[in-house]
Amino acid sequence: MKLAYRLRETGVAALRGLVLSVVSLGGSIVLLVACVLSLALIPLGIGAFTTPWAVQGLRHFANWRRLWAAQWCGVRIPAGHRPFPEDLRPGVIGQLERCRLVLRDPATWRELCWLPFDMTVGFLTAVLTVGLAVYPLEGFALGAGLWRAFTDGTRTGYWYGFVPIDGQAAGIEAALLGLALLTAALFLSPRLLLLHFRLTGAVLAPGKGELSERVRVLTETRRDAVDTSAAELRRIERDLHDGAQARLVAVGMDLGTITALMDHDPAKAKQLLLQARQSSAEALTELRDLVRGIHPPVLAERGLGDAVRALALRLPVPSEVHVQLPGRAPEPVESAAYFALSEVLTNAVKHAGAERIWVDLHHEGGALRMSVTDNGGGGAVVGAGSGLSGVERRLGTFDGVLAVSSPAGGPTMVTMEIPCALS
């Protein structure tokens, strides 16, 4: 049983190492070239427009690596990106300001310096992870007779490691070497994958200024949380004043009129009574909707999983929800996760033109992980003024992260993570 578990763990590590080796080399080279070219074109003016987009792609690339590090090996790599202000002016001036903010962000230069590291050391550790697990298969094949494809037994036609393959005896030696390598892979491949992410974290994570950067990020997210709470309070007051309160005042006035008409015009009083009853029902509906917007009752009573299922049932497009939560997260985390998912689902319906949506919730590695995938038109970005920026700020209050994969033409996958423990 233990051997089967180690074989499975090694196979998973090898598959992930294969993905990382392709991503590390290809993605890092493309992004490094794009970023360097954009920076070189800044004196000509073109780079001021291309650099923010190139850096945005770099951030998505680095955030996906942070997400994989947390999901696959439990390694948390803080980001520390400085968010764009909401009031950036449109047009050329706003674009120049955006470029300036990007270049002043220490995280930009840290991630840019990480790209050469990722395409060399990162690629090497990823290749070793998959190679150590796959290379023994060649040794077994040589021991089974594949050596005949390389030599007729009278000369050395091939080498397997340090074993010259010149006949069946050498093939047996290659198989024994493959067995030794496989035994080593059972112990080393998962550790090499962990080493890859720890080295990545050593380069990507903030250095000596991490504490001050952390204080800055927490200050900004706290300010955002306070501003969001104040805006939410104003919305609630406005909705109460314009909706339920106005209807209840109208009901009170109707009841006064009914009292005056009861004796000499019962028919009119009856008509007003029906009108008052309808107004009270509408006021009750508005109050329920308002309460649902503040904190849905199903979220408080049944937890995040059932609340998201209920949310998906109200969507105008077919959706599938998969929940694997063995317990409940703290109430503030559940609320933040619910409204973040609600915003992402709303974006998928309104802006992506999705015909189907898939939602996945699970808890792994000390974090609540949520993903929303749709088959819409793609093109979603995290930027100033977008709904995803609000989601990112909401998650940032709880030290959460947001990653978006949305190529043109779709599909779009939004992944969110909030560190928390389940009760």
Side-chain angles (χ1 to χ4, degrees), residues 45-373:
I46 301 174
F49 296 90
T50 59
T51 297
W53 291 103
V55 172
Q56 189 72 17
L58 173 59
R59 287 189 177 185
H60 288 320
F61 184 70
N63 283 339
W64 270 113
R65 193 64 59 84
R66 291 183 176 97
L67 194 62
W68 287 349
Q71 288 180 340
W72 293 352
C73 292
V75 176
R76 292 194 55 80
I77 306 174
H81 296 130
R82 293 180 181 178
F84 289 145
E86 293 279 341
D87 55 351
L88 278 179
R89 286 177 290 180
V92 176
I93 301 300
Q95 188 66 25
L96 292 175
E97 177 66 12
R98 187 175 287 105
C99 182
R100 185 185 69 84
L101 292 173
V102 162
L103 295 179
R104 291 186 60 185
D105 190 349
T108 298
W109 300 103
R110 190 165 57 244
E111 291 174 352
L112 190 60
C113 293
W114 164 70
L115 289 177
F117 178 87
D118 190 45
M119 70 178 66
T120 53
V121 178
F123 173 73
L124 179 62
T125 53
V127 165
L128 285 176
T129 300
V130 62
L132 195 60
V134 173
Y135 193 50
L137 301 179
E138 183 182 351
F140 298 150
L142 291 171
L146 186 64
W147 60 270
R148 293 182 177 86
F150 304 102
T151 180
D152 56 5
T154 61
R155 60 182 178 82
T156 299
Y158 188 75
W159 286 75
Y160 178 74
F162 55 81
V163 177
I165 306 301
D166 56 6
Q168 184 60 42
I172 297 298
E173 293 179 15
L176 293 175
L177 177 59
L179 181 61
L181 291 175
L182 180 60
T183 303
L186 294 177
F187 296 91
L188 294 180
S189 284
R191 288 171 173 80
L192 283 171
L193 189 66
L194 178 62
L195 176 64
H196 171 92
F197 287 118
R198 284 183 174 172
L199 291 174
T200 299
V203 179
L204 276 182
K208 294 181 180 179
E210 180 177 356
L211 182 58
S212 59
E213 181 70 13
R214 181 65 181 146
V215 171
R216 184 194 63 78
V217 172
L218 287 176
T219 301
E220 290 184 356
T221 55
R222 183 186 64 182
R223 185 182 66 245
D224 290 338
V226 172
D227 293 343
T228 302
S229 298
E232 186 70 11
L233 181 60
R234 289 192 297 269
R235 182 189 68 82
I236 294 170
E237 291 175 346
R238 184 177 63 252
D239 290 347
L240 282 173
H241 182 271
D242 298 340
Q245 178 179 330
R247 293 188 183 279
L248 291 175
V249 170
V251 168
M253 296 175 63
D254 288 342
L255 290 176
T257 304
I258 291 170
T259 303
L261 295 175
M262 189 69 71
D263 294 331
H264 62 278
D265 195 350
K268 182 65 174 178
K270 183 177 181 181
Q271 181 182 353
L272 289 176
L273 187 62
L274 293 175
Q275 181 178 329
R277 180 179 180 182
Q278 181 179 356
S279 296
S280 65
E282 291 175 351
L284 181 60
T285 300
E286 290 183 358
L287 286 173
R288 286 173 176 170
D289 292 339
L290 185 62
V291 170
R292 187 180 295 111
I294 299 172
H295 193 78
V298 66
L299 180 62
E301 298 171 3
R302 304 288 298 275
L304 182 61
D306 286 340
V308 173
R309 290 189 182 98
L311 184 64
L313 287 174
R314 295 198 297 269
L315 294 177
V317 299
S319 58
E320 296 180 15
V321 180
H322 179 262
V323 179
Q324 191 174 359
L325 298 175
R328 293 193 60 171
E331 184 175 332
V333 173
E334 281 192 337
S335 180
Y338 175 85
F339 287 107
L341 281 168
S342 177
E343 178 71 24
V344 173
L345 290 171
T346 300
N347 287 344
V349 173
K350 286 187 175 180
H351 306 300
E355 297 179 354
R356 195 166 191 84
I357 299 175
W358 296 265
V359 182
D360 179 76
L361 283 81
H362 65 280
H363 188 272
E364 183 182 356
L368 174 65
R369 296 193 177 94
M370 307 165 286
S371 65
V372 177
T373 306

